[in-house]
């Protein structure tokens, strides 16, 4: 039954039923967690063979004869660059291979812009007074935190089913030279699961910006993370499109193996145009003695065999598809035709984004928490942690078991319906 | 024969002999390298057992039950903190365990001071105009590069056999609030091999500084790197002494396992007072998703057995002692009583510092290079890469074989004598 059309009497009766259902959930003593995009034990196990793939001095030597146990190769092993190049399509010579946290290299990239400038001819942003950054929302909280922490004003832009609202983006960046960049998760976006359309990528790559040193932070964290390889959503080549528009310097491209092998012990990369890369290397040569090359070599060796990476990602995808199927089915079953919530059904990545009725998200979060179901903090997907309409919830079913996801989605649907009725009874 | 007392005729004759010796070296087609403090293959082999010490999901779990393959524990595993605490003497609760490059965490620490302030109550240094940093010289080139790159004026201070010239340091920091910090390698210092005396440490910890947020960057890279454990030179506890003087916030303490297991794939730590630590954690939580915990666990497990670390360092020390004995004997034999060079004979660490006659270092470097012996770039041990007297050479014998070190020191002694005579003949 659609909750819109209920009389007050019907609403009261319905709420009574929901309350009984909810109290029953509470009695189960649940401890379920859909708050964070962590791979499950089942997924981690897929990578265990990498742990012992290097065993001694004979197999720690790179293709070029370099002993990866020692100092050197500060910008990454050539074969590790090739590894990233193969699945991102970015040419090897544009890539620097880094440590285990791509978030860290994004933070460092912003700091570099602040202290040294964004590229040749750009002066340090910290000398420019007020600075702003575009934040497609709902989006990834940790992106927003980086620019908030570093003193930028965060400007929200709506996410649409084809990516950020490009009319709004174009108008903002054309008018305001203080807007220095935009955060993007272009494929299976966190949390809506959207893959940017080719038109969106083209417009980002070619739009006119008032800031001559505007930068797109292109965090392609889920580049090969389709649930089903046959249903993969292709992403347009941002470097190619930016190159056509003469804007290659606009792009900082990031990805990592955090969701390919081990989240806590992966390798990452930054890619940029040749002029940007020269500046990055110059600074990085001062900043670090180099990144962990043994771990780079582990990854290269683990995926050395033709097709090994694609097979592995298909295994990850199958596990994720199971979890998301449990989530979607549980929500559909629970919500019925109540019309009190919508949720995205991505084809890859780690998240679904749920909108409940405006003003209800905090209440739904609290009801879930009291019943032992932890969701991502409400507002986390918006700049400054504030959801202006208090309606968005991020759902991350990867870490829980199938049964836990099904149960959690039932509780969540019940809570969404309760919250929707509470204003009316 | 002492070169000071040679007549011009004798000098000419002597130079002729040296030239013949030098030409003979050149004919050998040598390719020797004393330029960098890299552990040798023999040392790296000592760590190979660590490569396979984690093998699957059962042994990737920390003491507290945390799966180190996954996200979490952003400030380091408790057992990794304990590992560092045991050999530094710094309390576990003051430690954050980081990634493979301690240089990187020092760079980050300076950046944090610039962008956020040095600690509670300190405003961002980048808002203060001119900034200066004390650089005991000869010292570690990569320290100097960090502060140079980040816009500090580098102020050299002489290194003495007990550490930096403390009369000079005290006078400088008392007079000038723009001086924000000092770089220190307090034990087996790079490159002189000096261990700071207790008086030096006490004066650093208690001196009056015009800048209220002055910081000592205490890079204890060679904390347990004596050649012979029986001859270890103890280092005073800087946190204890600073605490007594009410200056605990003054200390940023760093070390790493780069010279304990693998230089390219170690773990590192930063330690600080509680108020500083709170600020560091707050920023680090934004900057990174966390450091590689599998590598932390590898180190902990590899040294789990009582006394394992001390035994391993004794093995490293024995290898290093052999190399340094070859170096010192070769130099003594080659220099004889010519009086044209002095060199330090440290009891630990990775370097010796050699002073040739003023104005001769560049010529010695070039003569060596032309004969196939690479030394560290002249001037590298001074701020801005400029040795004001052109007399200092850093010697790093660790990577070469014993025979190579002996041969290189013979060439070096010959070159030092040639350069000394060239101005007189």
């Amino acid at each position: 039954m659609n909750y819109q059309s209920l009389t007050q009497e019907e609403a009261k009766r319905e709420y009574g039923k929901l309350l009984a259902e909810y109290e029953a959930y509470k009695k189960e003593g649940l401890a379920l967690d859909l708050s964070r995009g962590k791979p499950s034990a089942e997924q981690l196990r897929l990578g265990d063979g990498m742990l012992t793939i290097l065993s001694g001095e004979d197999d720690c030597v790179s293709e070029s004869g370099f002993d990866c146990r020692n100092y050197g190769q500060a910008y990454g092993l050539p074969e590790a660059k090739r590894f990233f190049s193969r699945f991102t399509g970015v040419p090897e010579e544009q890539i620097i291979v880094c440590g285990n946290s791509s978030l860290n290299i994004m933070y460092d990239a912003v700091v570099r812009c602040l202290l040294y400038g964004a590229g040749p001819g750009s002066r340090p942003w910290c000398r420019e007074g007020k600075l702003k950054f575009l934040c497609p929302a709902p989006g990834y909280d940790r992106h927003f935190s980086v620019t908030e922490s570093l003193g930028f004003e965060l400007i929200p832009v709506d996410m649409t089913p084809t990516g950020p609202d490009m009319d709004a983006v174009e108008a903002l960046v054309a008018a305001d030279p203080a807007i220095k960049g935009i955060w993007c998760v272009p494929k299976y976006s966190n949390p809506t699961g959207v893959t940017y359309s080719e038109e969106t990528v083209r417009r980002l790559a070619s739009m006119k910006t008032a800031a001559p040193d505007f930068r797109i932070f292109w965090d392609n964290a889920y580049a090969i993370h389709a649930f089903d390889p046959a249903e993969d959503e292709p992403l347009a080549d941002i470097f190619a499109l930016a190159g056509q528009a003469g804007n290659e310097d606009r792009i900082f491209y990031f990805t990592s193996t955090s969701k390919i092998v081990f989240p806590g012990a992966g390798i990452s990369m930054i890619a940029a145009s040749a002029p940007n890369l020269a500046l990055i290397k110059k600074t990085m040569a001062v900043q670090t003695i180099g990144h962990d090359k043994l771990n780079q070599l582990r990854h290269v060796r683990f995926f050395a065999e033709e097709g090994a990476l694609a097979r592995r990602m298909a295994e990850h995808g199958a596990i994720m598809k199971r979890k998301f199927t449990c989530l979607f089915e549980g929500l559909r079953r629970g919500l019925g035709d109540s019309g009190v919530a919508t949720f995205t059904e991505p084809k890859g990545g780690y998240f679904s984004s749920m909108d409940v009725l405006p003003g209800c998200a905090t209440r739904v979060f609290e009801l879930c928490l009291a019943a032992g179901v932890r969701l991502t903090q409400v507002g986390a997907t918006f700049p400054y942690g504030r959801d202006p309409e208090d309606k968005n919830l991020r759902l991350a079913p990867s870490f829980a078991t199938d049964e836990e996801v099904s149960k959690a989605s039932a509780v969540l649907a019940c809570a969404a319906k309760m919250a929707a009725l509470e204003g009316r009874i």
Side-chain angles (χ1 to χ4, degrees), chain A:
Chain A
M1 85 193 77
N2 187 302
Y3 282 21
Q4 283 282 11
S5 56
L6 294 184
T7 63
Q8 194 178 1
E9 200 50 41
E10 288 167 330
K12 269 189 184 158
R13 213 162 37 231
E14 177 70 7
Y15 190 78
K17 283 191 218 164
L18 291 170
L19 194 60
E21 182 188 346
Y22 179 73
E23 291 301 332
Y25 291 137
K26 274 179 93 167
K27 286 201 184 106
E28 294 185 43
L30 303 173
L32 309 176
D33 194 334
L34 300 190
S35 71
R36 207 168 159 205
K38 287 172 74 165
S40 62
E42 189 182 359
Q43 288 178 271
L44 296 176
R45 211 170 292 140
L46 297 174
D48 280 352
M50 198 180 75
L51 288 165
T52 50
I53 207 160
L54 301 181
S55 62
E57 66 183 323
D58 295 333
D59 55 19
C60 289
V61 176
S62 78
E63 283 176 3
S64 65
F66 176 81
D67 187 334
C68 294
R69 299 171 302 173
N70 221 328
Y71 291 121
Q73 303 270 335
Y75 308 122
L77 296 178
E79 51 265 60
K81 294 181 188 178
R82 202 180 321 134
F83 167 76
F84 278 118
S85 175
R86 277 185 186 147
F87 74 81
T88 60
V90 177
E92 290 168 52
E93 59 273 19
Q94 285 183 240
I95 292 174
I96 298 174
V97 184
C98 301
N100 75 311
S101 168
S102 60
L103 184 71
N104 204 150
I105 58 172
M106 292 177 227
Y107 179 92
D108 285 356
V110 181
V111 167
R112 233 175 357 247
C113 292
L114 283 167
L115 295 178
Y116 300 87
S122 157
R123 63 180 180 154
W125 290 359
C126 69
R127 300 220 189 108
E128 297 200 8
K130 186 82 190 160
L131 296 167
K132 303 176 189 173
F133 220 87
L134 296 188
C135 299
Y140 180 31
D141 53 340
R142 303 205 56 157
H143 282 165
F144 303 161
S145 300
V146 165
T147 32
E148 182 183 357
S149 168
L150 290 167
F152 291 76
E153 183 186 333
L154 309 184
I155 313 286
V157 178
D158 284 342
M159 272 296 283
T160 78
T162 55
D165 174 346
M166 284 308 301
D167 291 341
V169 169
E170 286 169 346
L172 284 161
V173 300
D176 189 349
I179 298 178
K180 288 297 195 180
I182 183 170
W183 289 113
C184 297
V185 182
K187 192 162 176 180
Y188 308 131
S189 183
N190 174 354
T192 58
V194 158
T195 298
Y196 291 15
S197 69
E198 184 174 354
E199 192 201 339
T200 296
V201 180
R202 185 184 302 278
R203 288 172 74 177
L204 283 165
S206 58
M207 64 192 181
K208 286 211 164 57
T209 64
D213 51 1
F214 182 90
R215 291 293 179 270
I216 296 173
F217 282 64
W218 198 251
D219 180 7
N220 199 6
Y222 310 109
I224 47 175
H225 299 65
F227 299 150
D228 181 343
E231 295 181 20
D232 183 43
E233 294 174 350
L235 175 68
D237 181 341
I238 183 111
F239 272 120
L241 292 170
Q244 285 166 24
N247 291 330
E248 222 184 354
D249 293 346
R250 182 179 291 177
I251 317 301
F252 289 150
Y253 190 124
F254 307 89
T255 194
S256 79
T257 65
S258 293
K259 304 279 183 11
I260 294 176
V261 191
F262 300 134
I267 60 176
S268 63
M269 70 152 225
I270 179 171
S273 70
N276 284 342
L277 213 60
L279 188 71
I280 296 171
K281 285 184 175 175
K282 192 176 156 199
T283 313
M284 210 177 258
V286 171
Q287 180 181 13
T288 176
I289 209 83
H291 298 285
D292 184 335
K293 294 165 301 290
L294 285 179
N295 214 30
Q296 293 177 24
L297 196 60
R298 278 189 197 99
H299 283 78
V300 168
R301 294 272 168 84
F302 193 49
F303 294 111
E305 205 183 298
E306 180 75 21
L309 180 60
R311 281 196 301 278
R312 178 53 36 90
M313 294 316 293
E315 294 176 296
H316 278 294
I319 295 169
M320 293 296 283
K321 187 167 193 172
R322 248 179 36 221
K323 302 285 172 75
F324 275 88
T325 301
C326 291
L327 179 73
F328 298 149
E329 286 181 355
L331 287 176
R332 271 196 291 268
R333 195 164 44 232
L335 292 168
D337 58 357
S338 63
V340 301
T342 58
F343 52 91
T344 62
E345 299 192 38
K347 302 279 191 197
Y350 272 70
F351 303 99
S352 167
S353 175
M354 183 176 188
D355 279 340
V356 295
L357 297 186
C360 287
T362 302
R363 177 64 180 154
V364 173
F365 174 89
E366 283 166 1
L367 282 167
C368 285
L369 193 63
V373 177
R374 177 171 287 283
L375 303 176
T376 305
Q377 202 65 42
V378 173
T381 53
F382 289 82
Y384 306 110
R386 286 193 306 261
D387 176 355
E389 297 188 78
D390 188 27
K391 70 174 187 185
N392 187 253
L393 293 164
R394 186 181 80 164
L395 309 179
S398 55
F399 192 69
T401 65
D402 295 10
E403 295 67 33
E404 289 173 336
V405 174
S406 294
K407 175 64 77 174
S409 52
V411 175
L412 172 57
C414 178
K417 292 189 290 186
M418 286 173 72
L421 291 177
E422 281 173 356
R424 301 174 46 196
I425 57 174

